[in-house]
Amino acid sequence: MKEGTKIIITANYAGVEKKAILECVKIDNLGTWFKREGKRNLILADKNWFKSENRKVEVIGG
């Protein structure tokens, strides 16, 4: 994955499914930083974040 890559996250918590489009903005020694469309805060994703059973990742561009 590189900066500018966009992914769709499908998360399922307590039977409620939510989708979000995230864009990779930075990669460093802590992990991969994503920005969600329309939001200001960043999401830090480490290797365990991608392995979660409640989360599916689909690369859509970048």
Side-chain angles (χ1 to χ4, degrees):
M1 188 172 300
K2 60 183 181 178
E3 293 180 17
T5 301
K6 289 190 177 186
I7 61 173
I8 294 178
I9 297 294
T10 304
N12 188 354
Y13 295 104
V16 177
E17 187 174 288
K18 294 186 177 184
K19 287 188 176 185
I21 298 175
L22 305 178
E23 180 178 355
C24 176
V25 293
K26 181 180 177 182
I27 299 173
D28 61 13
N29 60 347
L30 296 175
T32 307
W33 294 87
F34 290 100
K35 183 179 185 310
R36 196 164 67 175
E37 286 187 347
K39 301 289 183 180
R40 297 178 114 192
N41 56 332
L42 297 177
I43 298 168
L44 174 61
D46 61 0
K47 61 183 175 182
N48 295 326
W49 188 86
F50 289 103
K51 293 180 183 177
S52 174
E53 295 176 6
N54 297 333
R55 197 175 291 121
K56 294 176 187 156
V57 178
E58 178 184 344
V59 177
I60 59 171

Short mmCIF file of all heavy atoms in Angstrom, two decimals:
data_model
loop_
_atom_site.label_atom_id
_atom_site.label_comp_id
_atom_site.label_asym_id
_atom_site.label_seq_id
_atom_site.Cartn_x
_atom_site.Cartn_y
_atom_site.Cartn_z
N MET A 1 0.85 -1.18 0.00
CA MET A 1 0.00 0.00 0.00
C MET A 1 0.89 1.23 0.00
O MET A 1 1.95 1.23 0.60
CB MET A 1 -0.90 -0.02 1.24
CG MET A 1 -1.93 1.07 1.21
SD MET A 1 -3.16 0.96 2.50
CE MET A 1 -3.87 -0.61 2.19
N LYS A 2 0.44 2.29 -0.68
CA LYS A 2 1.20 3.52 -0.74
C LYS A 2 0.28 4.70 -0.46
O LYS A 2 -0.95 4.55 -0.42
CB LYS A 2 1.86 3.66 -2.11
CG LYS A 2 0.88 3.71 -3.26
CD LYS A 2 1.57 3.79 -4.59
CE LYS A 2 0.53 3.85 -5.70
NZ LYS A 2 1.14 3.97 -7.01
N GLU A 3 0.88 5.85 -0.26
CA GLU A 3 0.09 7.05 0.00
C GLU A 3 -0.81 7.36 -1.20
O GLU A 3 -0.40 7.23 -2.33
CB GLU A 3 1.01 8.23 0.29
CG GLU A 3 1.76 8.08 1.58
CD GLU A 3 2.69 9.24 1.88
OE1 GLU A 3 2.53 10.31 1.26
OE2 GLU A 3 3.56 9.07 2.73
N GLY A 4 -2.05 7.73 -0.92
CA GLY A 4 -3.02 8.01 -1.97
C GLY A 4 -3.94 6.84 -2.28
O GLY A 4 -4.92 7.00 -2.98
N THR A 5 -3.63 5.65 -1.75
CA THR A 5 -4.47 4.48 -1.98
C THR A 5 -5.80 4.65 -1.26
O THR A 5 -5.84 5.05 -0.11
CB THR A 5 -3.77 3.20 -1.47
OG1 THR A 5 -2.53 3.06 -2.14
CG2 THR A 5 -4.63 1.97 -1.70
N LYS A 6 -6.89 4.34 -1.95
CA LYS A 6 -8.22 4.41 -1.33
C LYS A 6 -8.73 3.00 -1.10
O LYS A 6 -8.56 2.11 -1.94
CB LYS A 6 -9.20 5.18 -2.22
CG LYS A 6 -8.92 6.65 -2.26
CD LYS A 6 -10.04 7.41 -2.92
CE LYS A 6 -9.74 8.89 -2.86
NZ LYS A 6 -10.85 9.69 -3.37
N ILE A 7 -9.36 2.80 0.06
CA ILE A 7 -9.93 1.50 0.41
C ILE A 7 -11.35 1.68 0.93
O ILE A 7 -11.71 2.75 1.41
CB ILE A 7 -9.07 0.77 1.47
CG1 ILE A 7 -8.99 1.56 2.77
CG2 ILE A 7 -7.68 0.47 0.95
CD1 ILE A 7 -8.31 0.82 3.91
N ILE A 8 -12.14 0.62 0.80
CA ILE A 8 -13.48 0.58 1.39
C ILE A 8 -13.39 -0.37 2.58
O ILE A 8 -12.93 -1.50 2.44
CB ILE A 8 -14.54 0.09 0.41
CG1 ILE A 8 -14.72 1.07 -0.73
CG2 ILE A 8 -15.88 -0.12 1.13
CD1 ILE A 8 -15.74 0.62 -1.77
N ILE A 9 -13.82 0.11 3.73
CA ILE A 9 -13.86 -0.70 4.94
C ILE A 9 -15.31 -1.07 5.22
O ILE A 9 -16.18 -0.19 5.24
CB ILE A 9 -13.31 0.09 6.16
CG1 ILE A 9 -11.85 0.45 5.94
CG2 ILE A 9 -13.48 -0.68 7.44
CD1 ILE A 9 -10.94 -0.74 5.90
N THR A 10 -15.56 -2.35 5.39
CA THR A 10 -16.88 -2.82 5.81
C THR A 10 -16.71 -3.40 7.21
O THR A 10 -16.02 -4.39 7.38
CB THR A 10 -17.41 -3.88 4.85
OG1 THR A 10 -17.42 -3.35 3.52
CG2 THR A 10 -18.83 -4.29 5.22
N ALA A 11 -17.31 -2.75 8.20
CA ALA A 11 -17.17 -3.18 9.58
C ALA A 11 -18.52 -3.66 10.09
O ALA A 11 -19.56 -3.10 9.77
CB ALA A 11 -16.67 -2.04 10.45
N ASN A 12 -18.49 -4.71 10.90
CA ASN A 12 -19.71 -5.28 11.45
C ASN A 12 -19.56 -5.37 12.97
O ASN A 12 -18.77 -6.15 13.48
CB ASN A 12 -19.94 -6.67 10.86
CG ASN A 12 -21.28 -7.23 11.23
OD1 ASN A 12 -22.01 -6.64 12.01
ND2 ASN A 12 -21.59 -8.38 10.68
N TYR A 13 -20.31 -4.53 13.68
CA TYR A 13 -20.28 -4.51 15.14
C TYR A 13 -21.70 -4.66 15.67
O TYR A 13 -22.58 -3.89 15.30
CB TYR A 13 -19.67 -3.21 15.67
CG TYR A 13 -18.22 -3.05 15.30
CD1 TYR A 13 -17.83 -2.19 14.29
CD2 TYR A 13 -17.24 -3.80 15.95
CE1 TYR A 13 -16.50 -2.06 13.94
CE2 TYR A 13 -15.91 -3.67 15.61
CZ TYR A 13 -15.55 -2.80 14.62
OH TYR A 13 -14.23 -2.68 14.27
N ALA A 14 -21.91 -5.65 16.50
CA ALA A 14 -23.21 -5.90 17.14
C ALA A 14 -24.32 -6.02 16.10
O ALA A 14 -25.43 -5.54 16.28
CB ALA A 14 -23.54 -4.81 18.14
N GLY A 15 -24.02 -6.65 14.97
CA GLY A 15 -25.02 -6.89 13.94
C GLY A 15 -25.30 -5.72 13.03
O GLY A 15 -26.14 -5.80 12.14
N VAL A 16 -24.60 -4.60 13.23
CA VAL A 16 -24.80 -3.42 12.39
C VAL A 16 -23.60 -3.30 11.46
O VAL A 16 -22.46 -3.24 11.90
CB VAL A 16 -24.92 -2.14 13.25
CG1 VAL A 16 -25.07 -0.92 12.35
CG2 VAL A 16 -26.10 -2.26 14.19
N GLU A 17 -23.88 -3.26 10.15
CA GLU A 17 -22.80 -3.17 9.17
C GLU A 17 -22.65 -1.72 8.71
O GLU A 17 -23.62 -1.07 8.36
CB GLU A 17 -23.10 -4.05 7.97
CG GLU A 17 -21.97 -4.14 6.98
CD GLU A 17 -22.25 -5.12 5.88
OE1 GLU A 17 -22.23 -6.33 6.16
OE2 GLU A 17 -22.50 -4.67 4.75
N LYS A 18 -21.41 -1.23 8.74
CA LYS A 18 -21.12 0.14 8.29
C LYS A 18 -20.00 0.10 7.27
O LYS A 18 -19.10 -0.71 7.36
CB LYS A 18 -20.70 1.01 9.48
CG LYS A 18 -21.79 1.24 10.47
CD LYS A 18 -21.35 2.21 11.53
CE LYS A 18 -22.50 2.50 12.48
NZ LYS A 18 -22.13 3.51 13.47
N LYS A 19 -20.07 1.03 6.30
CA LYS A 19 -19.04 1.14 5.27
C LYS A 19 -18.44 2.55 5.31
O LYS A 19 -19.15 3.51 5.60
CB LYS A 19 -19.61 0.89 3.88
CG LYS A 19 -19.93 -0.54 3.61
CD LYS A 19 -20.30 -0.74 2.16
CE LYS A 19 -20.53 -2.22 1.89
NZ LYS A 19 -20.77 -2.48 0.48
N ALA A 20 -17.15 2.63 5.01
CA ALA A 20 -16.47 3.91 4.95
C ALA A 20 -15.38 3.84 3.89
O ALA A 20 -14.79 2.78 3.68
CB ALA A 20 -15.87 4.27 6.29
N ILE A 21 -15.13 4.97 3.23
CA ILE A 21 -14.04 5.06 2.27
C ILE A 21 -12.90 5.80 2.96
O ILE A 21 -13.08 6.89 3.49
CB ILE A 21 -14.47 5.81 1.00
CG1 ILE A 21 -15.58 5.04 0.30
CG2 ILE A 21 -13.28 6.01 0.07
CD1 ILE A 21 -16.16 5.75 -0.90
N LEU A 22 -11.72 5.16 2.98
CA LEU A 22 -10.55 5.74 3.62
C LEU A 22 -9.46 5.95 2.58
O LEU A 22 -9.33 5.17 1.64
CB LEU A 22 -10.01 4.81 4.71
CG LEU A 22 -10.98 4.37 5.81
CD1 LEU A 22 -10.28 3.43 6.76
CD2 LEU A 22 -11.53 5.56 6.56
N GLU A 23 -8.66 7.00 2.79
CA GLU A 23 -7.53 7.27 1.91
C GLU A 23 -6.25 7.26 2.73
O GLU A 23 -6.17 7.90 3.79
CB GLU A 23 -7.69 8.63 1.23
CG GLU A 23 -6.54 8.94 0.30
CD GLU A 23 -6.71 10.28 -0.42
OE1 GLU A 23 -7.76 10.92 -0.26
OE2 GLU A 23 -5.78 10.66 -1.13
N CYS A 24 -5.25 6.54 2.26
CA CYS A 24 -3.96 6.48 2.94
C CYS A 24 -3.26 7.82 2.78
O CYS A 24 -3.06 8.30 1.67
CB CYS A 24 -3.12 5.36 2.35
SG CYS A 24 -1.47 5.27 3.06
N VAL A 25 -2.88 8.45 3.90
CA VAL A 25 -2.22 9.75 3.85
C VAL A 25 -0.76 9.69 4.30
O VAL A 25 0.02 10.59 3.98
CB VAL A 25 -2.98 10.82 4.67
CG1 VAL A 25 -4.32 11.12 4.05
CG2 VAL A 25 -3.14 10.39 6.11
N LYS A 26 -0.39 8.63 5.04
CA LYS A 26 0.98 8.55 5.55
C LYS A 26 1.28 7.13 5.98
O LYS A 26 0.41 6.44 6.50
CB LYS A 26 1.14 9.51 6.74
CG LYS A 26 2.51 9.55 7.34
CD LYS A 26 2.54 10.53 8.51
CE LYS A 26 3.88 10.53 9.18
NZ LYS A 26 3.91 11.41 10.34
N ILE A 27 2.52 6.70 5.76
CA ILE A 27 2.98 5.41 6.25
C ILE A 27 4.27 5.65 7.03
O ILE A 27 5.19 6.27 6.51
CB ILE A 27 3.23 4.43 5.10
CG1 ILE A 27 1.95 4.19 4.32
CG2 ILE A 27 3.79 3.11 5.62
CD1 ILE A 27 2.11 3.38 3.06
N ASP A 28 4.29 5.21 8.30
CA ASP A 28 5.50 5.38 9.11
C ASP A 28 5.72 4.13 9.95
O ASP A 28 5.09 3.10 9.73
CB ASP A 28 5.42 6.65 9.96
CG ASP A 28 4.25 6.66 10.94
OD1 ASP A 28 3.64 5.60 11.16
OD2 ASP A 28 3.96 7.73 11.49
N ASN A 29 6.62 4.24 10.94
CA ASN A 29 6.95 3.06 11.75
C ASN A 29 5.82 2.64 12.69
O ASN A 29 5.83 1.53 13.20
CB ASN A 29 8.24 3.30 12.55
CG ASN A 29 8.13 4.49 13.49
OD1 ASN A 29 7.20 5.29 13.40
ND2 ASN A 29 9.09 4.62 14.38
N LEU A 30 4.83 3.50 12.94
CA LEU A 30 3.68 3.14 13.78
C LEU A 30 2.64 2.34 13.01
O LEU A 30 1.91 1.54 13.57
CB LEU A 30 3.02 4.39 14.36
CG LEU A 30 3.87 5.23 15.31
CD1 LEU A 30 3.11 6.49 15.69
CD2 LEU A 30 4.23 4.41 16.53
N GLY A 31 2.54 2.58 11.72
CA GLY A 31 1.56 1.90 10.89
C GLY A 31 1.14 2.78 9.72
O GLY A 31 1.89 3.62 9.25
N THR A 32 -0.08 2.58 9.27
CA THR A 32 -0.63 3.31 8.12
C THR A 32 -1.70 4.27 8.62
O THR A 32 -2.59 3.88 9.36
CB THR A 32 -1.24 2.32 7.11
OG1 THR A 32 -0.27 1.33 6.78
CG2 THR A 32 -1.68 3.03 5.85
N TRP A 33 -1.60 5.53 8.20
CA TRP A 33 -2.55 6.56 8.60
C TRP A 33 -3.57 6.78 7.48
O TRP A 33 -3.19 6.96 6.33
CB TRP A 33 -1.83 7.87 8.88
CG TRP A 33 -0.91 7.79 10.06
CD1 TRP A 33 0.38 7.38 10.07
CD2 TRP A 33 -1.23 8.12 11.42
NE1 TRP A 33 0.90 7.43 11.33
CE2 TRP A 33 -0.07 7.88 12.18
CE3 TRP A 33 -2.37 8.59 12.06
CZ2 TRP A 33 -0.03 8.10 13.55
CZ3 TRP A 33 -2.32 8.81 13.42
CH2 TRP A 33 -1.17 8.57 14.15
N PHE A 34 -4.84 6.74 7.85
CA PHE A 34 -5.92 6.94 6.89
C PHE A 34 -6.76 8.15 7.28
O PHE A 34 -6.89 8.49 8.45
CB PHE A 34 -6.85 5.72 6.88
CG PHE A 34 -6.24 4.50 6.27
CD1 PHE A 34 -5.73 3.50 7.07
CD2 PHE A 34 -6.19 4.34 4.90
CE1 PHE A 34 -5.16 2.36 6.52
CE2 PHE A 34 -5.62 3.21 4.33
CZ PHE A 34 -5.12 2.22 5.14
N LYS A 35 -7.35 8.78 6.26
CA LYS A 35 -8.29 9.87 6.46
C LYS A 35 -9.62 9.45 5.86
O LYS A 35 -9.67 8.95 4.74
CB LYS A 35 -7.80 11.14 5.77
CG LYS A 35 -8.70 12.34 5.99
CD LYS A 35 -8.15 13.56 5.30
CE LYS A 35 -8.93 14.81 5.58
NZ LYS A 35 -10.34 14.74 5.42
N ARG A 36 -10.69 9.62 6.64
CA ARG A 36 -12.02 9.28 6.16
C ARG A 36 -12.63 10.48 5.44
O ARG A 36 -12.41 11.62 5.85
CB ARG A 36 -12.90 8.88 7.35
CG ARG A 36 -14.15 8.17 6.94
CD ARG A 36 -14.79 7.47 8.09
NE ARG A 36 -15.29 8.44 9.04
CZ ARG A 36 -15.99 8.13 10.11
NH1 ARG A 36 -16.25 6.88 10.38
NH2 ARG A 36 -16.42 9.06 10.92
N GLU A 37 -13.36 10.21 4.37
CA GLU A 37 -13.97 11.29 3.60
C GLU A 37 -14.90 12.13 4.48
O GLU A 37 -15.74 11.58 5.20
CB GLU A 37 -14.76 10.74 2.42
CG GLU A 37 -13.89 10.23 1.30
CD GLU A 37 -14.69 9.85 0.07
OE1 GLU A 37 -15.93 9.75 0.16
OE2 GLU A 37 -14.08 9.64 -0.98
N GLY A 38 -14.72 13.44 4.42
CA GLY A 38 -15.59 14.34 5.16
C GLY A 38 -15.24 14.49 6.63
O GLY A 38 -15.93 15.19 7.36
N LYS A 39 -14.18 13.87 7.09
CA LYS A 39 -13.78 13.96 8.51
C LYS A 39 -12.38 14.53 8.60
O LYS A 39 -11.58 14.43 7.68
CB LYS A 39 -13.80 12.57 9.17
CG LYS A 39 -15.14 11.89 9.12
CD LYS A 39 -16.12 12.55 10.04
CE LYS A 39 -17.44 11.79 10.03
NZ LYS A 39 -18.42 12.36 10.89
N ARG A 40 -12.06 15.12 9.75
CA ARG A 40 -10.75 15.73 9.94
C ARG A 40 -9.77 14.80 10.64
O ARG A 40 -8.56 14.90 10.44
CB ARG A 40 -10.89 17.00 10.78
CG ARG A 40 -11.70 18.06 10.11
CD ARG A 40 -11.84 19.24 11.00
NE ARG A 40 -11.14 20.36 10.40
CZ ARG A 40 -10.88 21.47 11.01
NH1 ARG A 40 -11.24 21.65 12.26
NH2 ARG A 40 -10.25 22.44 10.39
N ASN A 41 -10.26 13.92 11.51
CA ASN A 41 -9.36 13.08 12.29
C ASN A 41 -8.77 11.95 11.47
O ASN A 41 -9.37 11.48 10.50
CB ASN A 41 -10.07 12.52 13.52
CG ASN A 41 -11.32 11.75 13.18
OD1 ASN A 41 -11.95 12.02 12.17
ND2 ASN A 41 -11.69 10.81 14.01
N LEU A 42 -7.58 11.50 11.85
CA LEU A 42 -6.90 10.42 11.15
C LEU A 42 -7.08 9.10 11.90
O LEU A 42 -7.28 9.10 13.12
CB LEU A 42 -5.41 10.73 11.03
CG LEU A 42 -5.04 11.96 10.20
CD1 LEU A 42 -3.54 12.17 10.24
CD2 LEU A 42 -5.51 11.81 8.78
N ILE A 43 -7.00 8.01 11.19
CA ILE A 43 -7.12 6.67 11.76
C ILE A 43 -5.77 5.98 11.59
O ILE A 43 -5.24 5.93 10.48
CB ILE A 43 -8.21 5.86 11.03
CG1 ILE A 43 -9.56 6.55 11.20
CG2 ILE A 43 -8.25 4.42 11.52
CD1 ILE A 43 -10.64 6.01 10.29
N LEU A 44 -5.22 5.49 12.69
CA LEU A 44 -3.96 4.76 12.65
C LEU A 44 -4.26 3.27 12.57
O LEU A 44 -4.93 2.72 13.44
CB LEU A 44 -3.11 5.05 13.88
CG LEU A 44 -1.83 4.23 14.02
CD1 LEU A 44 -0.90 4.48 12.84
CD2 LEU A 44 -1.13 4.56 15.32
N ALA A 45 -3.78 2.62 11.52
CA ALA A 45 -4.02 1.19 11.32
C ALA A 45 -2.69 0.45 11.38
O ALA A 45 -1.82 0.67 10.55
CB ALA A 45 -4.70 0.95 9.98
N ASP A 46 -2.53 -0.41 12.38
CA ASP A 46 -1.34 -1.26 12.44
C ASP A 46 -1.68 -2.62 11.83
O ASP A 46 -2.78 -2.83 11.31
CB ASP A 46 -0.83 -1.38 13.87
CG ASP A 46 -1.84 -2.02 14.82
OD1 ASP A 46 -2.94 -2.39 14.37
OD2 ASP A 46 -1.50 -2.17 16.00
N LYS A 47 -0.75 -3.56 11.88
CA LYS A 47 -0.99 -4.86 11.24
C LYS A 47 -2.16 -5.61 11.86
O LYS A 47 -2.88 -6.33 11.17
CB LYS A 47 0.28 -5.71 11.28
CG LYS A 47 0.77 -6.02 12.67
CD LYS A 47 2.07 -6.79 12.62
CE LYS A 47 2.59 -6.99 14.03
NZ LYS A 47 3.85 -7.67 14.05
N ASN A 48 -2.42 -5.44 13.17
CA ASN A 48 -3.55 -6.11 13.82
C ASN A 48 -4.89 -5.51 13.40
O ASN A 48 -5.90 -6.20 13.39
CB ASN A 48 -3.40 -6.04 15.34
CG ASN A 48 -2.20 -6.82 15.81
OD1 ASN A 48 -1.86 -7.85 15.24
ND2 ASN A 48 -1.54 -6.33 16.84
N TRP A 49 -4.90 -4.23 13.04
CA TRP A 49 -6.13 -3.56 12.61
C TRP A 49 -6.67 -4.23 11.34
O TRP A 49 -7.86 -4.42 11.19
CB TRP A 49 -5.83 -2.09 12.36
CG TRP A 49 -7.02 -1.23 12.08
CD1 TRP A 49 -7.82 -0.62 13.00
CD2 TRP A 49 -7.53 -0.85 10.80
NE1 TRP A 49 -8.79 0.11 12.37
CE2 TRP A 49 -8.64 -0.02 11.01
CE3 TRP A 49 -7.16 -1.14 9.50
CZ2 TRP A 49 -9.37 0.54 9.98
CZ3 TRP A 49 -7.89 -0.59 8.46
CH2 TRP A 49 -8.98 0.24 8.71
N PHE A 50 -5.77 -4.60 10.43
CA PHE A 50 -6.18 -5.25 9.19
C PHE A 50 -6.62 -6.70 9.40
O PHE A 50 -7.35 -7.24 8.59
CB PHE A 50 -5.04 -5.21 8.17
CG PHE A 50 -4.77 -3.84 7.62
CD1 PHE A 50 -3.69 -3.09 8.07
CD2 PHE A 50 -5.60 -3.28 6.66
CE1 PHE A 50 -3.45 -1.83 7.56
CE2 PHE A 50 -5.36 -2.02 6.15
CZ PHE A 50 -4.27 -1.29 6.62
N LYS A 51 -6.19 -7.34 10.49
CA LYS A 51 -6.51 -8.74 10.75
C LYS A 51 -7.81 -8.93 11.52
O LYS A 51 -8.21 -10.06 11.77
CB LYS A 51 -5.37 -9.40 11.53
CG LYS A 51 -4.09 -9.51 10.75
CD LYS A 51 -3.02 -10.16 11.59
CE LYS A 51 -1.70 -10.22 10.85
NZ LYS A 51 -0.63 -10.80 11.69
N SER A 52 -8.49 -7.86 11.89
CA SER A 52 -9.72 -7.95 12.68
C SER A 52 -10.79 -8.77 11.95
O SER A 52 -10.99 -8.62 10.75
CB SER A 52 -10.27 -6.56 12.96
OG SER A 52 -11.53 -6.64 13.60
N GLU A 53 -11.47 -9.64 12.70
CA GLU A 53 -12.54 -10.47 12.13
C GLU A 53 -13.76 -9.63 11.78
O GLU A 53 -14.57 -10.04 10.95
CB GLU A 53 -12.92 -11.56 13.11
CG GLU A 53 -11.82 -12.55 13.37
CD GLU A 53 -12.19 -13.57 14.43
OE1 GLU A 53 -13.35 -13.57 14.89
OE2 GLU A 53 -11.32 -14.37 14.80
N ASN A 54 -13.92 -8.47 12.41
CA ASN A 54 -15.10 -7.63 12.20
C ASN A 54 -14.94 -6.67 11.03
O ASN A 54 -15.83 -5.89 10.75
CB ASN A 54 -15.39 -6.81 13.46
CG ASN A 54 -15.74 -7.67 14.63
OD1 ASN A 54 -16.24 -8.77 14.46
ND2 ASN A 54 -15.45 -7.21 15.82
N ARG A 55 -13.79 -6.71 10.36
CA ARG A 55 -13.48 -5.70 9.36
C ARG A 55 -13.02 -6.35 8.06
O ARG A 55 -12.18 -7.22 8.06
CB ARG A 55 -12.37 -4.81 9.92
CG ARG A 55 -12.19 -3.53 9.25
CD ARG A 55 -11.14 -2.68 9.96
NE ARG A 55 -11.60 -2.22 11.26
CZ ARG A 55 -11.00 -2.49 12.41
NH1 ARG A 55 -9.92 -3.20 12.45
NH2 ARG A 55 -11.50 -2.04 13.54
N LYS A 56 -13.58 -5.89 6.94
CA LYS A 56 -13.16 -6.34 5.61
C LYS A 56 -12.61 -5.14 4.86
O LYS A 56 -13.18 -4.06 4.89
CB LYS A 56 -14.34 -6.94 4.84
CG LYS A 56 -14.88 -8.20 5.45
CD LYS A 56 -16.09 -8.68 4.69
CE LYS A 56 -16.71 -9.85 5.43
NZ LYS A 56 -18.10 -10.02 5.13
N VAL A 57 -11.49 -5.34 4.16
CA VAL A 57 -10.82 -4.27 3.43
C VAL A 57 -10.83 -4.58 1.95
O VAL A 57 -10.52 -5.70 1.53
CB VAL A 57 -9.36 -4.13 3.91
CG1 VAL A 57 -8.65 -3.04 3.13
CG2 VAL A 57 -9.30 -3.86 5.40
N GLU A 58 -11.22 -3.59 1.14
CA GLU A 58 -11.23 -3.75 -0.31
C GLU A 58 -10.54 -2.51 -0.92
O GLU A 58 -10.95 -1.38 -0.69
CB GLU A 58 -12.67 -3.83 -0.81
CG GLU A 58 -12.79 -3.93 -2.30
CD GLU A 58 -14.25 -3.90 -2.74
OE1 GLU A 58 -15.15 -4.09 -1.92
OE2 GLU A 58 -14.46 -3.66 -3.94
N VAL A 59 -9.47 -2.72 -1.67
CA VAL A 59 -8.73 -1.63 -2.31
C VAL A 59 -9.50 -1.19 -3.56
O VAL A 59 -9.86 -2.03 -4.38
CB VAL A 59 -7.30 -2.06 -2.68
CG1 VAL A 59 -6.58 -0.95 -3.40
CG2 VAL A 59 -6.54 -2.49 -1.44
N ILE A 60 -9.75 0.12 -3.69
CA ILE A 60 -10.51 0.61 -4.85
C ILE A 60 -9.70 1.52 -5.75
O ILE A 60 -10.15 1.87 -6.82
CB ILE A 60 -11.81 1.31 -4.43
CG1 ILE A 60 -11.53 2.51 -3.51
CG2 ILE A 60 -12.77 0.35 -3.80
CD1 ILE A 60 -12.74 3.36 -3.25
N GLY A 61 -8.52 1.94 -5.33
CA GLY A 61 -7.72 2.80 -6.20
C GLY A 61 -6.46 3.29 -5.55
O GLY A 61 -6.29 3.21 -4.35
N GLY A 62 -5.55 3.81 -6.37
CA GLY A 62 -4.34 4.41 -5.83
C GLY A 62 -3.12 3.70 -6.14
O GLY A 62 -2.58 2.94 -6.53
#
